[in-house]
Amino acid sequence: GQLAHGSERGMLYELLRKTYSTLPIISHGWDHIHRCLITAVPIAETEACSIDIVFAAALLHDVGFIDNPDPVGHHERGAAACPSWLPDWSAGERSAVAACVYSHKGEAKGFRTTPTTIEQKIVCDADLLEKVGYAGMFQRVKTFVEFGAGCWPEFASLEHVLRHLAQ
């Protein structure tokens, strides 16, 4: 992978870390963003792709929640916001990051944003992988607490969510 934005990646990381630390976001806060990043980068390092694009997109994939807590359309809002977070990046790079942010939900329920490039697939997979396993169980519980049963109409309560996770 290419590394053209080393210092800019560090500045973006710090800017987002500081931004998220001031927000009342529970399930899509800095801990989730950071876990997605540390999942995505090692995958990117094994692929023929732009690590810069994956790095920035992993950091920005849920930026659509910053000004609007509604999960519906957060991928669209986030993709539209990408250029403002990457002012020194080329138009093509900003577009590639925005495409990753837009497609990070893949074929999840309510989304039909199939990732097509390797960078898009890595960010989508990292976001999904962050939601499974021990940490993923807590991520689901936090999402339920933050957004309620509206996220999963098939679950009437947190108890139903936990029973489903145990299966």
Side-chain angles (χ1 to χ4, degrees), residues 32-33 35-43 54 58 61 104 119-132:
H32 166 68
I33 301 302
R35 285 191 306 268
C36 284
L37 177 68
I38 63 175
T39 301
V41 170
I43 297 170
V54 170
H61 80 277
H104 82 272
E119 292 86 359
Q120 291 170 17
K121 291 174 183 178
I122 290 169
V123 174
C124 180
D125 287 352
D127 188 45
L128 179 61
L129 287 169
E130 198 280 316
K131 292 176 175 81
V132 297

Side-chain angles (χ1 to χ4, degrees), residues 54-116:
V54 170
F55 187 95
L59 285 173
L60 292 167
H61 80 277
D62 278 336
V63 76
F65 283 110
I66 288 178
D67 293 323
N68 184 339
D70 186 355
V72 176
H74 82 279
H75 64 301
E76 295 165 337
R77 293 188 305 274
C82 281
S84 67
W85 290 93
L86 305 167
D88 296 328
W89 293 47
S90 73
E93 291 167 325
R94 289 192 303 268
S95 178
V97 171
C100 290
V101 170
Y102 180 82
S103 66
H104 82 272
K105 295 302 289 184
E107 294 293 318
K109 185 175 181 179
F111 296 88
R112 293 293 174 253
T113 57
T114 306
T116 55

Side-chain angles (χ1 to χ4, degrees), residues 6 14 24 30-31 35 56-57 80 82 98 104 123 133 137 146-147 156 165:
E14 282 303 313
W30 179 248
D31 57 339
R35 285 191 306 268
C82 281
H104 82 272
V123 174
M137 178 184 73
E146 187 169 9
F147 298 114
L165 289 170

Side-chain angles (χ1 to χ4, degrees), residues 39-55:
T39 301
V41 170
I43 297 170
E45 289 173 339
T46 67
E47 300 292 336
C49 69
S50 170
I51 295 173
D52 285 334
I53 299 300
V54 170
F55 187 95

